[in-house]
Amino acid sequence: QTSSHVAILNEMNHDVRIVPLDGRAALPSSLRQWAGVSRGRWEGDTLVVETTNFHPRQLLRGASDSLRVVERFTRVDERTILYRFTVHDPSTFTQPWSGQLPFVAMDDLVHEYACHEGNYALSNILSGARAQEREAARRKPAQPTKP
């Protein structure tokens, strides 16, 4: 994040959205980007991101090219951001619809999202894990059996 932009990384497909915060004008509707064109602003402690100009193959559930998504990111505590969104498309939906989801910080590792064509590597991954389990069992002292 800088004073003029926010970058939002989506782990799936490694997409990074660069969201200008400098009040620049929207792009003409003829310019369509894969994940749309986002513009952001701050409303108090909430980052508001409005996205339009979605690529035709990315339109949500049959939405029209007038689809507009408004997202709100609000930090509610040290470990949680409340993510809220509203979908606007009067050509497709009778009214806007919304949802929300808390983004809670994790202490776990985040593993890379990757497509494994045919999951050819899965047998190697599993055989390696089974070998580690056998080695751990071999090193573990025998437990006395109960009569």
Side-chain angles (χ1 to χ4, degrees):
Q1 175 179 334
T2 69
S3 61
S4 63
H5 291 80
V6 171
I8 301 173
L9 171 65
N10 180 359
E11 175 56 22
M12 185 171 184
N13 297 327
H14 316 292
D15 290 335
V16 178
R17 293 169 54 200
I18 306 298
V19 180
L21 302 173
D22 56 9
R24 68 181 63 185
L27 294 178
S29 62
S30 60
L31 293 176
R32 303 271 167 182
Q33 295 183 348
W34 190 251
V37 176
S38 297
R39 298 291 186 256
R41 67 182 181 280
W42 288 100
E43 291 181 1
D45 292 339
T46 299
L47 173 63
V48 179
V49 178
E50 293 195 38
T51 305
T52 59
N53 298 31
F54 291 91
H55 188 279
R57 290 187 178 171
Q58 285 291 87
L59 292 175
L60 175 70
R61 297 214 173 269
S64 75
D65 60 3
S66 63
L67 174 65
R68 180 172 62 99
V69 178
V70 179
E71 299 165 286
R72 296 177 182 277
F73 301 83
T74 307
R75 183 174 290 281
V76 294
D77 62 39
E78 185 178 296
R79 297 180 55 85
T80 310
I81 294 174
L82 180 60
Y83 172 73
R84 296 173 290 162
F85 67 90
T86 302
V87 175
H88 302 265
D89 184 358
S91 299
T92 304
F93 305 111
T94 57
Q95 62 187 17
W97 54 276
S98 301
Q100 69 179 30
L101 178 72
F103 292 164
V104 180
M106 299 181 337
D107 295 323
D108 296 327
L109 295 174
V110 176
H111 297 281
E112 174 188 14
Y113 171 87
C115 292
H116 297 285
E117 299 298 331
N119 286 323
Y120 298 124
L122 194 55
S123 60
N124 293 331
I125 293 168
L126 291 172
S127 65
R130 299 300 85 84
Q132 288 175 330
E133 291 168 353
R134 284 191 299 275
E135 179 63 21
R138 186 182 67 77
R139 292 181 181 195
K140 185 177 179 181
Q143 298 293 322
T145 58
K146 295 183 180 181

